[in-house]
Amino acid sequence: MNLSDTLAQISPNDDNIHRITIDTTWHQGRTAFGGLSTALAYQAAALSEDDLPPLQSAQIAFAGPVAGDVQIKTQLLRRGRNAAFIKSEIMSGDTVSLSCTFLFVKRRESKIDFIDMPKADFPPIPKDGETRSGPPEFFTYHLDYPDKRLTLGSGEPRLANWHRLRQRDGLNPFAELMCIGDALPPSVMGLFEEQAMVSSMNWHINMLSDEPQTENGWWFLDSKTHHASHGASSQDMTVWNSDGKAVMKAMQSVALFI
């Protein structure tokens, strides 16, 4: 099941409870890929209220494994004239495995128009025949990307590369961005000398575009660890489109078992 098929299991209903199945091709170890889980939670939130404005930001807590048959529950926390806060949770049995708060905001005119983000040094967008995908038992099966995504022992706390979803027709662009935005391994793994377990704990996202678009599905993902100690790291993340425009900014906390 590709992302469109998986999201299609969610449809508006009166009690805002959705029962869905996550295919094993979306797994990363014993849990589903965090980007997919976040996209599912977003889709349920976006369908829970009529006439929502664009997504502004999201806070995601990866509380436990998400896999197999799950429930997604949404709750409107507050809705004013310009903003709506919606809580979305994914339940595995009786346990909350993912908890999100999504903020939808109506844009308005402002005297301030400021950006202070140095552009990444982009390699060319990959051409047809120059990409690879992962095995069918891992979420990267659903992605295209050039070469290896991670080299252990590089000594660099930064990972950056082009990624896209192999099948992306009919996707909500914000659901697509949240899914693809978590596709890189944690950038702290560039400091690893050997394989070790990692696990994302919290993710904060700010959207920088009301209508994110890019060429042929390609997004440039850039992640840099700025602190790692005592079994956890903190990383900054940016998603750029093919025109070199930043469309999403994020920060993530990652548990390290090394």
Side-chain angles (χ1 to χ4, degrees), residues 226-242:
H226 49 257
H227 185 272
S229 182
H230 299 96
S233 70
S234 179
Q235 64 183 37
D236 289 318
M237 307 161 74
T238 310
V239 179
W240 307 80
N241 70 7
S242 54

Side-chain angles (χ1 to χ4, degrees), residues 2-23:
N2 60 37
L3 181 58
S4 295
D5 295 334
T6 306
L7 293 176
Q9 297 179 86
I10 302 172
S11 58
N13 59 61
D14 292 336
D15 60 3
N16 286 329
I17 298 176
H18 312 271
R19 294 169 177 83
I20 72 164
T21 300
I22 299 175
D23 191 80

Side-chain angles (χ1 to χ4, degrees), residues 3 125-126 128 131 142-146 161-169 171 173 176-177 179-181 183 212-221 239-243 247:
L3 181 58
I125 292 176
D128 292 341
T131 64
H142 295 279
L143 305 177
D144 287 328
Y145 49 89
N161 219 331
W162 293 100
H163 283 66
R164 71 175 177 184
L165 290 164
R166 291 168 56 192
Q167 296 173 301
R168 53 197 177 275
D169 292 342
L171 286 175
E176 179 183 359
L177 268 180
C179 186
I180 202 73
Q213 297 179 354
T214 196
E215 178 185 338
N216 203 19
W218 286 109
W219 304 96
F220 190 77
L221 313 182
V239 179
W240 307 80
N241 70 7
S242 54
D243 292 328
V247 295

